[in-house]
Amino acid sequence: MSTAGKVIKCKAAVCLEVKKPFSIVEIEVAPPKAHEVRIKILATGICRTDDHAVSGSLYTPFPTILGHEAAGVVESVGEGVTSVKPGDKVIPLFVPQCGECSSCLHPKANLCSRHSFADVSGMMPEGTSRFTYKGKPLHRFASTSTFTEYTVVHESAVAKIDAAAPPEKVCLIGCGFSTGYGSAIKTAQVEPGSTCAVFGLGGVGLSVVMGCKAAGASRIIGVDINKDKFAKAKELGVTDCVNPKDFDKPIQDVLVEMTKGGADYTFEVIGHTETMAAALAACQMNYGTSVIVGVAPTSSKVSFDPMLLFTGRTWKGSVFGGWKAKEAVPKLVSDFMAKKFTLDPLITHTLPFDKINEGFELLRTGKSIRTVLLF
Ligand code: CND
Ligand code: ZN
């Protein structure tokens, strides 16, 4: 029996309060309104950004449904939706692309100005929520909310992908892989023969490593305080592993010495303001480029010596790898299907959706790269 046009009762992992474990409860998901799409989620990854939200480091209103790295199938669509239809396999997009605003029309921009990726209203663009728990609305997160059997997104925040793509793998194209890979090949535009340093070797950092390698970097230095991350990093292309805990001087000094003057490209993929400043100082003073990929705590400030930029360094940031999400995601999925890159090394754990709290513990204790939750 079709569920189109009806309220769906389903299971969701709800965050009722900041810093509290997820509660698996039954919620109600209203049908999509005009220009909205209701999606049955098949698989979702756990990204550190979700944990930043749980911990309160990244502000988001509670109670909420987190999750932003998923793949699913369209259950029904609202009036006026033309780019997807029921039955289509899709990836929800935490960086929407309306295709019509000044940013979407600019070849260099990937952050839609009509539907901001940084919107913290917790509501759909038209101002209300499609999620209800015990008669009260729940907030959405990052334009997506994927820790639920069903979610509703705006049409600008969903991309149709190859029907044959395995959801338990390509869900990583919804965030971690695309973010890291794009930061290297698109935002930094790493050149063949260059030296790169990647701060943070989690799911996103290792994807930066894959991007640096694909771009032909000849030396990739991996920096992490958890030495357990080094084996996999080497497998993916890291040539030198550095643990800041092994040195009694600042890590930027260690890297400048190792590279005889600084790396061509550095990437901060942790989300700490101190490592953002360290990564800037670790790139070559005339022509080095440093890219901020990690999400810093809301309202935090970085303190740095302006002389670092005065000499010529470039400091950039990269949200979702600089990709225009709605057009890039289907292509990235095609590239995955054509075996142009692999996602398997990033997926260390697969768990049933109910075990979401276990999945977050694996991330917090540094034991996982990516945990994929299956519905
Ligand atoms: P994850 O926690 O898996 O990786 C972070 C790594 O950093 C871990 O291996 C840590 O051991 C390591 N680390 C922690 N502190 C230090 C330190 N002081 N020095 C060196 N290494 C350290 O996280 P992830 O890979 O899922 O995400 C990484 C960051 O990227 C995080 O801040 C997340 O919020 C952000 C991000 C950004 C974007 C974007 O669009 N820019 C998208 N998704 C996630
Ligand atoms: Zn993410």
Side-chain angles (χ1 to χ4, degrees):
M1 209 178 66
S2 169
T3 44
K6 297 179 185 146
V7 170
I8 293 179
K9 285 189 178 181
C10 70
K11 225 165 35 174
V14 175
C15 271
L16 294 166
E17 285 173 66
V18 69
K19 293 190 177 82
K20 290 278 159 58
F22 292 85
S23 307
I24 308 282
V25 297
E26 189 182 84
I27 63 158
E28 287 169 3
V29 182
K33 292 195 180 180
H35 307 292
E36 296 177 356
V37 179
R38 189 158 62 180
I39 303 166
K40 181 180 186 359
I41 301 291
L42 300 172
T44 179
I46 296 177
C47 171
R48 181 62 77 166
T49 307
D50 300 309
D51 192 47
H52 289 330
V54 174
S55 73
S57 157
L58 173 68
Y59 171 76
T60 198
F62 286 78
T64 184
I65 298 181
L66 301 174
H68 63 281
E69 183 180 87
V73 58
V74 173
E75 174 271 339
S76 62
V77 300
E79 211 180 296
V81 170
T82 55
S83 60
V84 294
K85 59 180 187 315
D88 283 350
K89 199 172 272 181
V90 292
I91 287 183
L93 311 170
F94 75 89
V95 171
Q97 184 188 352
C98 77
E100 291 164 359
C101 71
S102 57
S103 296
C104 284
L105 291 173
H106 198 286
K108 289 185 183 170
N110 80 314
L111 303 178
C112 179
S113 29
R114 190 175 294 167
H115 301 292
S116 169
F117 81 101
D119 169 50
V120 286
S121 68
M123 296 293 144
M124 297 299 289
E126 74 49 276
T128 57
S129 172
R130 297 297 157 270
F131 302 128
T132 310
Y133 174 54
K134 290 190 173 166
K136 295 210 175 104
L138 291 167
H139 295 91
R140 68 168 193 162
F141 173 69
S143 304
T144 48
S145 288
T146 62
F147 294 157
T148 167
E149 287 178 317
Y150 287 87
T151 191
V152 178
V153 303
H154 189 268
E155 185 180 10
S156 60
V158 58
K160 180 180 173 176
I161 60 165
D162 185 339
E168 71 284 5
K169 293 186 181 168
V170 298
C171 57
L172 265 58
I173 291 174
C175 180
F177 173 78
S178 310
T179 297
Y181 196 75
S183 303
I185 69 165
K186 214 170 148 53
T187 303
Q189 305 203 351
V190 169
E191 290 161 324
S194 51
T195 295
C196 303
V198 181
F199 288 62
L201 301 171
V204 185
L206 291 176
S207 302
V208 174
V209 168
M210 287 162 84
C212 292
K213 186 166 161 122
S218 54
R219 194 173 182 199
I220 306 172
I221 304 172
V223 181
D224 205 296
I225 50 171
N226 179 353
K227 62 177 172 26
D228 297 345
K229 304 279 171 136
F230 293 158
K232 179 145 289 171
K234 283 191 172 153
E235 222 179 273
L236 291 172
V238 163
T239 52
D240 313 62
C241 291
V242 181
N243 185 342
K245 288 181 177 167
D246 293 342
F247 301 88
D248 49 20
K249 58 181 165 191
I251 187 62
Q252 56 270 38
D253 296 355
V254 174
L255 293 171
V256 168
E257 240 167 67
M258 278 176 80
T259 54
K260 299 194 169 51
D264 298 302
Y265 301 96
T266 63
F267 300 85
E268 201 279 355
V269 206
I270 304 163
H272 295 167
T273 52
E274 310 80 57
T275 38
M276 289 173 184
L280 174 66
C283 74
Q284 214 281 348
M285 70 170 178
N286 296 275
Y287 51 78
T289 296
S290 187
V291 183
I292 294 177
V293 185
V295 176
T298 300
S299 307
S300 60
K301 301 277 180 287
V302 187
S303 148
F304 71 102
D305 179 348
M307 203 48 98
L308 290 170
L309 293 181
F310 188 62
T311 59
R313 289 177 181 86
T314 301
W315 210 358
K316 298 181 133 185
S318 185
V319 179
F320 195 55
W323 303 106
K324 282 183 188 291
K326 191 149 174 146
E327 59 190 67
V329 161
K331 290 183 194 148
L332 286 162
V333 170
S334 301
D335 285 352
F336 169 76
M337 297 302 278
K339 299 195 165 49
K340 293 193 184 157
F341 59 84
T342 160
L343 295 168
D344 289 342
L346 301 175
I347 304 167
T348 52
H349 298 76
T350 302
L351 290 173
F353 177 56
D354 292 7
K355 299 215 163 142
I356 184 168
N357 286 309
E358 215 173 282
F360 271 80
E361 265 327 288
L362 289 165
L363 174 73
R364 290 170 189 145
T365 51
K367 293 192 180 113
S368 59
I369 298 297
R370 274 297 197 259
T371 296
V372 171
L373 304 170
L374 298 179
F375 289 80

